[in-house]
């Protein structure tokens, strides 16, 4: 609670003093709008001061709630800025005059180009992702991708068929490998491309179809939410899956609106691309087809022939991989590495990177509900000639619009994907981790963005939600950025020391499964890597060995046994 107070009270002070100093009469809506801007502006400035002035990279909201002294200092400094800003603004208004003449720029005359402002905002968010691609720090699954793409396309398809993922992403990654070689930045860039395409999609299709509010909210979630920040750079297929599921979902809306052949064709193509990117993407788009077929067969809302042909085309297009999918299911049924299953609520929170607080979830769900009621005309807002506003809630005259059916189909896909994963994991064996549902997160983002864009007073709600998201996402981004830089630095130091001292015939022994599986072979391609239990290192042949261990503090007995065998043991580096 104290965290919310710390964030919201000083901006109120700023708005109040500004109104008194500037002496400008404003409507209630204008006051609310300016207050929302004050929340965004003041807390953003505070974050910059704490990050770059005091080198603080912690979760600010957590610190505000847990440490009263920090919250008091935060409110004090924020309040000083809140008091100073209106007077500084008044000083410049009265003493400074700025005249800008746009020669030959008639399109700017008399108005602010909102699309240009959002475009600059989107470019900044993309740049925040782009500056993170320049490292070579990879975890086990990423190293698997990097080892696989060094092979030919037939070998890649065979290799991923033996794994548990379809091949499309690896083909994209292989193209980058052929063009740029084994460069970490190029591999990260492949995963960042979908982020750029989503921005273009938002600035064009989403802007035109649903409005600027939906576009800016979707851009923010796709560029700055914690999961997006991770998967926009991770050398895996999740960002591509998110793009294809989102595009298929959008084409489904256009089918519900117009039913043109082009929309069906694009819907099938994007669905196939999603299905060939990740099996959970296949599951998500399968629910889209189920809804379309249901609307065609039972509600007669769509052409039975067109929906049936599109479903058959989807099935035919995936048939070459279906046998491999069946083998993967049989293989996973016998043995798989997952040992626990996330619950429904945990999964739903993950759609928004688990960064939304319960109160925000309540407001989001309320907004979506109001948008649905308004869209189905169950809720009607009427204004009399005298200006009196009346809310009418009635089931009479209710209708199922294309937008309503589309949003329901998205909810069906989200819940269906999660519930199917949980049920199969409970009945058969665990086959579900949270990152598998990241691609369907874009459907949840789209539903939220469009719901806000359909509300009365949408600009105010957009600013408030945007301010909240930035206040939550920005500190998380800074923390991730700092961690990435530190981890990459540790990695480079470790590689420099170990590669200088490793000799021909040396062997790496490790009790870290991913190190033995992919990380060791990727970073040390000429050195054999063996997965062992350090407690069982009883007898080794003569030679040079490198021990890469997970917990150094548990190595005392093992090192003593090695010394008894005549080995000289030296700690080369720790924490790498």
């Amino acid at each position: 609670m104290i965290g919310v107070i710390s964030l919201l009270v000083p901006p109120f002070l700023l708005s109040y003093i500004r109104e008194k100093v500037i002496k400008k009469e404003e409507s209630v809506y204008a006051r609310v709008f300016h207050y929302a801007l004050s929340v965004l502006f003041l807390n953003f400035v505070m974050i910059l001061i704490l990050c770059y002035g005091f080198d603080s990279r912690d979760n600010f909201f957590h610190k505000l709630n847990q440490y009263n002294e920090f919250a008091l200092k935060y409110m004090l400094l924020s309040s000083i800025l809140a008091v100073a800003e209106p007077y500084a603004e008044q000083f410049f208004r009265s003493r400074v005059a700025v005249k800008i003449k746009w020669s030959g720029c008639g399109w700017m005359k008399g108005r602010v180009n909102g699309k240009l402002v959002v475009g600059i905002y989107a470019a900044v968010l993309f740049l925040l992702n782009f500056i993170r691609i320049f490292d070579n720090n990879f975890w086990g699954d990423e190293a698997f991708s990097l080892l696989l793409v060094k092979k030919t396309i037939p070998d890649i398809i065979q290799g991923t068929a033996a794994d548990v993922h379809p091949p499309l992403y690896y083909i994209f990654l292989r193209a980058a490998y052929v063009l740029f070689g084994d460069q970490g930045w190029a591999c990260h860039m492949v995963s960042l491309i979908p982020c750029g395409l989503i921005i273009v999609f938002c600035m064009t299709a989403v802007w035109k179809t649903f409005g600027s509010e939906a576009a800016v909210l979707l851009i923010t979630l796709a560029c700055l939410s914690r999961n997006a920040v991770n998967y926009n750079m991770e050398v895996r297929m999740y960002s591509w899956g998110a793009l294809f599921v989102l595009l298929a979902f959008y084409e489904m809306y256009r089918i519900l609106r117009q039913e043109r052949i082009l929309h069906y064709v694009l819907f099938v193509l994007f669905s196939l691309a999603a299905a060939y990117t990740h099996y959970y993407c296949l599951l998500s788009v399968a629910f889209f087809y189920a809804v379309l077929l249901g609307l065609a067969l039972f509600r007669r809302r769509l052409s039975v022939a067109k929906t049936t042909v599109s479903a058959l085309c989807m099935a035919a297009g995936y048939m070459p991989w279906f046998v491999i999918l069946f083998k993967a299911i049989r293989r996973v049924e016998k043995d798989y590495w997952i040992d626990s299953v996330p619950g429904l609520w945990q999964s739903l929170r993950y759609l928004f990177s688990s960064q939304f607080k319960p109160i925000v979830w309540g407001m989001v769900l309320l907004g979506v509900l109001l948008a649905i009621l308004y869209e189905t005309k169950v809720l009607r807002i009427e204004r009399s000639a005298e200006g009196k506003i009346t809310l009418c809630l009635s089931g009479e005259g209710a209708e199922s619009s294309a937008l309503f059916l589309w949003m329901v189909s998205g909810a069906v896909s989200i819940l269906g994907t999660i519930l199917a994963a949980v049920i199969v994991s409970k009945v058969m064996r665990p086959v579900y981790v949270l990152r598998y549902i990241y691609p369907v997160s874009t459907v949840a983002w789209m539903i939220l963005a469009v719901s806000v864009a359909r509300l009365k007073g949408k600009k105010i709600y957009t600013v408030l939600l945007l301010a909240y998201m930035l206040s939550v996402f920005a500190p998380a981004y800074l923390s991730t950025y700092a961690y990435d830089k530190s981890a990459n630095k540790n990695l480079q130091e470790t590689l420099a020391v170990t590669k200088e001292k490793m000799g021909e015939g040396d062997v790496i022994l490790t009790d870290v499964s991913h190190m033995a599986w992919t990380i060791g072979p990727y970073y040390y391609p000429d050195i054999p890597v063996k997965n062992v239990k350090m407690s069982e290192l009883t007898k080794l042949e003569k030679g040079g060995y490198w021990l890469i261990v997970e917990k150094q503090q548990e190595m005392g007995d093992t090192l003593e046994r090695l010394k008894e065998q005549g080995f000289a043991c030296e700690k080369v580096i720790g924490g790498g």
Side-chain angles (χ1 to χ4, degrees):
M1 186 63 186
I2 192 171
V4 175
I5 295 174
S6 302
L7 295 175
L8 298 184
V9 170
F12 179 80
L13 181 63
L14 189 156
S15 299
Y16 176 77
I17 295 178
R18 184 179 182 276
E19 184 176 346
K20 297 298 181 182
V21 172
I22 304 299
K23 297 180 180 179
K24 181 180 178 182
E25 293 293 331
E26 294 180 330
S27 66
V28 174
Y29 286 110
R31 290 177 180 176
V32 173
F33 179 74
H34 285 135
Y35 172 69
L37 287 180
S38 299
V39 172
L40 175 63
F41 166 76
L42 196 57
N43 288 297
F44 181 71
V45 171
M46 285 296 299
I47 289 172
L48 291 179
I49 292 174
L50 291 171
C51 288
Y52 298 105
F54 296 93
D55 197 29
S56 175
R57 297 291 193 273
D58 296 326
N59 185 316
F60 299 123
F61 194 78
H62 174 75
K63 288 185 68 175
L64 288 171
N65 281 312
Q66 296 298 320
Y67 303 102
N68 293 337
E69 183 179 355
F70 177 79
L72 181 61
K73 292 179 179 178
Y74 186 97
M75 287 188 65
L76 180 61
L77 180 57
S78 185
S79 299
I80 292 173
L81 292 175
V83 172
E85 193 280 334
Y87 289 100
E89 182 181 348
Q90 176 63 16
F91 173 82
F92 281 101
R93 278 173 177 262
S94 60
R95 303 294 181 88
V96 180
V98 179
K99 183 178 181 180
I100 301 176
K101 184 176 181 180
W102 292 89
S103 178
C105 296
W107 57 276
M108 286 289 291
K109 186 177 180 180
R111 64 187 179 92
V112 176
N113 192 316
K115 201 163 192 178
L116 177 63
V117 173
V118 175
I120 294 172
Y121 170 74
V124 171
L125 294 190
F126 182 81
L127 182 63
L128 291 177
N129 285 271
F130 180 79
I131 61 176
R132 297 178 55 243
I133 71 173
F134 300 99
D135 74 37
N136 294 295
N137 188 31
F138 307 108
W139 72 292
D141 284 12
E142 291 179 295
F144 173 83
S145 301
L146 296 168
L147 290 172
L148 187 61
V149 297
K150 294 181 179 181
K151 303 177 181 179
T152 63
I153 293 295
D155 289 337
I156 288 174
I157 293 176
Q158 183 178 358
T160 192
D163 190 45
V164 288
H165 296 299
L168 184 58
Y169 164 74
Y170 297 113
I171 295 174
F172 295 156
L173 193 60
R174 172 65 182 176
Y177 180 81
V178 171
L179 289 173
F180 304 107
D182 190 8
Q183 299 289 334
W185 66 266
C187 299
H188 289 309
M189 176 58 76
V190 172
S191 296
L192 184 57
I193 289 173
C195 176
L197 294 178
I198 288 177
I199 289 175
V200 174
F201 168 69
C202 290
M203 296 298 296
T204 53
V206 175
W207 191 292
K208 180 179 179 181
T209 307
F210 303 112
S212 58
E213 295 82 9
V216 73
L217 291 175
L218 186 54
I219 287 172
T220 303
L221 286 161
C223 293
L224 207 57
S225 62
R226 184 165 51 204
N227 287 345
V229 168
N230 289 334
Y231 295 119
N232 285 344
M233 193 185 74
E234 186 171 282
V235 187
R236 297 296 286 163
M237 68 289 296
Y238 301 108
S239 62
W240 282 98
L243 171 66
F244 292 136
V245 170
L246 176 64
L247 294 178
F249 185 49
Y250 175 72
E251 290 303 325
M252 183 181 183
Y253 173 72
R254 300 216 290 177
I255 289 172
L256 291 169
R257 284 293 302 272
Q258 295 177 319
E259 264 202 291
R260 292 173 56 189
I261 297 296
L262 175 61
H263 302 330
Y264 277 101
V265 171
L266 292 175
F267 178 63
V268 172
L269 290 177
F270 290 137
S271 298
L272 280 172
Y276 273 103
T277 302
H278 197 278
Y279 291 136
Y280 274 73
C281 295
L282 169 64
L283 183 60
S284 297
V285 297
F287 283 104
F288 295 160
Y289 282 91
V291 172
L292 287 180
L293 288 171
L295 291 174
L297 295 173
F298 303 110
R299 294 288 301 275
R300 301 298 179 181
R301 290 290 299 255
L302 298 171
S303 167
V304 175
K306 290 179 181 179
T307 52
T308 302
V309 169
S310 66
L312 291 175
C313 289
M314 174 67 187
Y318 204 71
M319 190 59 67
W321 198 257
F322 182 78
V323 175
I324 296 172
L325 169 61
F326 182 75
K327 290 181 179 179
I329 293 173
R330 295 293 300 273
R331 187 169 57 252
V332 167
E333 187 178 10
K334 295 178 182 178
D335 181 38
Y336 203 45
W337 59 271
I338 299 174
D339 55 11
S340 62
V341 183
L344 176 61
W345 174 237
Q346 185 181 3
S347 301
L348 291 174
R349 292 184 67 244
Y350 184 80
L351 297 174
F352 294 91
S353 306
S354 302
Q355 291 179 284
F356 281 12
K357 301 298 181 183
I359 187 173
V360 178
W361 265 101
M363 295 171 63
V364 165
L365 293 176
L366 178 61
V368 173
L369 176 61
L370 289 175
I372 290 174
L373 293 175
Y374 183 75
E375 188 62 31
T376 55
K377 296 186 178 179
V378 172
L379 174 65
R380 293 188 294 276
I381 303 175
E382 302 171 352
R383 183 189 295 269
S384 66
E386 296 80 16
K388 185 179 180 180
I389 297 176
T390 304
L391 298 180
C392 180
L393 191 64
S394 172
E396 295 182 7
E399 59 183 44
S400 299
S401 67
L403 184 65
F404 168 72
L405 294 174
W406 177 66
M407 293 173 68
V408 169
S409 68
V412 168
S413 177
I414 294 168
L415 292 174
T417 301
I418 295 172
L419 291 176
V422 171
I423 291 171
V424 170
S425 296
K426 297 291 186 181
V427 173
M428 189 177 72
R429 64 166 299 109
V431 291
Y432 169 45
V433 291
L434 287 174
R435 64 176 178 270
Y436 288 171
I437 62 165
Y438 172 72
V440 82
S441 294
T442 50
V443 175
W445 302 345
M446 179 70 98
I447 292 174
L448 173 61
V450 173
S451 297
V452 173
R454 295 293 295 173
L455 293 173
K456 294 290 185 180
K458 57 187 177 181
K459 294 189 182 300
I460 294 176
Y461 299 133
T462 299
V463 170
L464 290 174
L465 182 57
L466 189 62
Y468 173 78
M469 290 195 299
L470 290 176
S471 70
V472 173
F473 295 164
Y477 169 84
L478 293 172
S479 177
T480 299
Y481 180 80
Y483 173 81
D484 287 346
K485 290 300 179 184
S486 175
N488 191 57
K489 180 182 178 182
N490 289 339
L491 169 71
Q492 300 307 325
E493 291 175 352
T494 301
L495 292 177
V497 172
T498 54
K499 287 189 173 182
E500 179 183 354
K501 295 187 177 184
M502 281 185 179
E504 185 177 352
D506 285 359
V507 177
I508 295 176
L509 305 178
T510 179
D511 60 355
V512 183
S513 58
H514 278 202
M515 181 66 64
W517 175 45
T518 55
I519 298 176
Y522 176 73
Y523 287 115
Y524 306 101
D526 300 322
I527 306 295
V529 183
K530 297 181 180 179
N531 190 12
V532 298
K533 289 185 178 181
M534 292 298 166
S535 60
E536 298 176 1
L537 282 181
T538 55
K539 183 65 177 178
L540 294 176
E541 297 180 358
K542 292 183 179 180
Y545 294 92
W546 290 78
L547 306 184
I548 301 180
V549 300
E550 184 172 7
K551 297 179 180 179
Q552 177 188 333
Q553 61 270 26
E554 298 178 3
M555 286 296 296
D557 293 340
T558 301
L559 295 178
E560 287 298 323
R561 291 198 303 272
L562 291 175
K563 289 179 181 179
E564 291 173 0
Q565 294 183 40
F567 285 97
C569 302
E570 173 192 2
K571 177 183 176 181
V572 176
I573 194 169

